[in-house]
């Protein structure tokens, strides 16, 4: 029962399935979109760059990351043993 319009690389798209399965598992049937992917990667890269910038900014101000009793990460000012 091979379908004649199947192409190499179609994978699960070439199999028979219900509409509900296709709606629930949309990402299996959607074709890759380079524009949307590049926008997503750019946003992700900007976010990572901003987080790195903020961490560098706090560390250059004399803060360091510490973990408190609750397991939360906090930034504390570096203290000297002389204080």
């Amino acid at each position: 029962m091979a379908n004649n319009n199947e192409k190499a690389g179609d994978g699960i798209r070439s199999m028979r399935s219900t509409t509900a399965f296709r709606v629930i598992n949309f990402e299996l049937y959607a074709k890759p979109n380079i524009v949307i992917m590049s926008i997503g990667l750019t946003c992700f890269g900007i976010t990572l760059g901003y987080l790195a910038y903020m961490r560098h900014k706090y560390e250059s101000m004399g803060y360091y990351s510490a973990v408190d009793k609750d397991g939360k990460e906090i930034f504390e000012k570096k203290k000297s043993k002389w204080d």
Side-chain angles (χ1 to χ4, degrees), residues 44-72:
F44 186 68
I46 289 171
T47 303
L48 287 179
Y50 179 70
L51 290 173
Y53 163 75
M54 291 301 290
R55 181 171 282 278
H56 174 73
K57 178 181 161 189
Y58 276 107
E59 288 175 355
S60 67
M61 290 171 55
Y63 287 91
Y64 69 96
S65 62
V67 179
D68 66 353
K69 295 182 259 186
D70 302 330
K72 222 172 37 169

Side-chain angles (χ1 to χ4, degrees), residues 1-70:
M1 285 192 130
N3 192 354
N4 290 339
N5 7 348
E6 292 177 2
K7 290 180 264 178
D10 272 349
I12 199 167
R13 275 187 240 131
S14 64
M15 295 176 57
R16 291 188 323 142
S17 62
T18 63
T19 305
F21 184 81
R22 287 179 182 253
V23 169
I24 292 171
N25 300 300
F26 173 74
E27 67 277 358
L28 296 175
Y29 296 96
K31 292 187 180 175
N33 190 336
I34 296 295
V35 174
I36 299 298
M37 183 176 62
S38 60
I39 291 171
L41 284 174
T42 303
C43 292
F44 186 68
I46 289 171
T47 303
L48 287 179
Y50 179 70
L51 290 173
Y53 163 75
M54 291 301 290
R55 181 171 282 278
H56 174 73
K57 178 181 161 189
Y58 276 107
E59 288 175 355
S60 67
M61 290 171 55
Y63 287 91
Y64 69 96
S65 62
V67 179
D68 66 353
K69 295 182 259 186
D70 302 330

